[in-house]
Amino acid sequence: MTPAERLARLRLIRTPHVGPVSWHQLMQRFGSGEAALDALPDLALRGGAGRPRIAPADAVLREIDRVAALGARHIFSDEDDYSPLLCEVEGAPPVVIVRGDAAMLRRPCVAIVGARNASAAACRFARQLAADLAARDVTVVSGLARGVDTAAHIGALGGSTAGVIASGIDIAFPPENAALQEKIASDQLLVAEQPPGTEPLARHFPSRNRIIAGMAHGTVVIEAAPRSGSLITARRAGDYGREVMAVPGSPLDPRAQGCNLLIREGATLIQNVDDVIEAVGPIDTRMVREPVRPFALAAGALSAAAIDAGEGDRRDVAALLGPTPVAIDELVRQSGQAATTVQLVLLELELAGRIERHAGARVSLV
């Protein structure tokens, strides 16, 4: 990939209203970041907006220089060092920033997540489970949060562990984990989606959670409240077709309610490392119908041959949208339009800032 193409791709994802799904669709339709940038103003105009505020080249060049100065690098979703499991999921980040050994993501990966205010018993179990997994050459993935995440990373330091953070790669959060984060970045692997200098805002954590779930063959939850971020990670793992595992706890402990709920809904009950290895073990090849394709090549992605949508098509699709998220498949059925036409109309509306994408291939009006 040429430096000019890398710059164009990074400018594209740093442009307002260009999200992971629209980035992949633009690349699929136009074949390169440079061509997609050239087409952006016209697409946004068709969606009902003025000229888009494309990320300035000098600002993106400063980001590239800052990442290099930190000893990190950008990895795009079609490059060899990108997580092969993450590449398969809906809305995979077009680019991540990493410090450390990205090759460890090609080993079997298991995510361990849980409560920030975890009990001492939960932290001890997380630390021991992570150490046992690392001893079996499994990469332990977690989010470097307080409690269970911290215990899991510490337990896996003797093997391999990957920390996924919600901030820029140069910002430690929580602050007391600064030394642990630096050790993981130096000796293991640190992953961030946000550019350097980005503070860990609340909206970044669900995005971080989808990366944790997407990078792993399965997710283990150890203590979690019913509405916690750990359960968001577990449900994302289930949406991606990955194994969801949970450690049971006392019904008298509110921190165990989320795990017990997951088990009641069908998650695998975990008591030791053997249970985890059995749950994420290889599937019999006779049960696999076809190879898993990267998300960008999945059905419904826009090809270069996709026709342009007419005004009538745009009106028909836009009339079906509202503030409540609706599945894109339902829009295709209700509108009677081809899937590629609906996808193109949604792309134009997103670039114009008129729609928002949600998990499960759903969209709503902003």
Side-chain angles (χ1 to χ4, degrees), residues 125 129 132-133 136 247 269-278:
F125 184 85
L129 181 62
D132 292 342
L133 286 168
R136 300 199 186 191
V247 177
L269 188 152
I270 296 298
Q271 299 180 92
N272 53 50
V273 67
D274 292 328
D275 293 339
V276 178
I277 297 299
E278 179 183 356

Side-chain angles (χ1 to χ4, degrees), residues 83 85-86 104-114 130 133-134 138-144 148-150 152-153 156 160-165 184 189 191 208-220 233:
S83 166
L85 286 174
L86 184 58
M104 65 175 56
L105 295 179
R106 297 195 171 274
R107 304 173 188 167
C109 295
V110 170
I112 297 179
V113 297
L133 286 168
V138 174
T139 297
V140 175
V141 182
S142 197
L144 268 165
V148 167
D149 290 24
T150 297
H153 285 304
S160 61
T161 182
V164 185
I165 57 177
I184 289 174
L189 179 66
V191 180
R208 185 275 307 269
N209 294 343
R210 91 188 192 284
I211 298 176
I212 294 173
M215 287 169 56
H217 290 84
T219 295
V220 180
T233 307

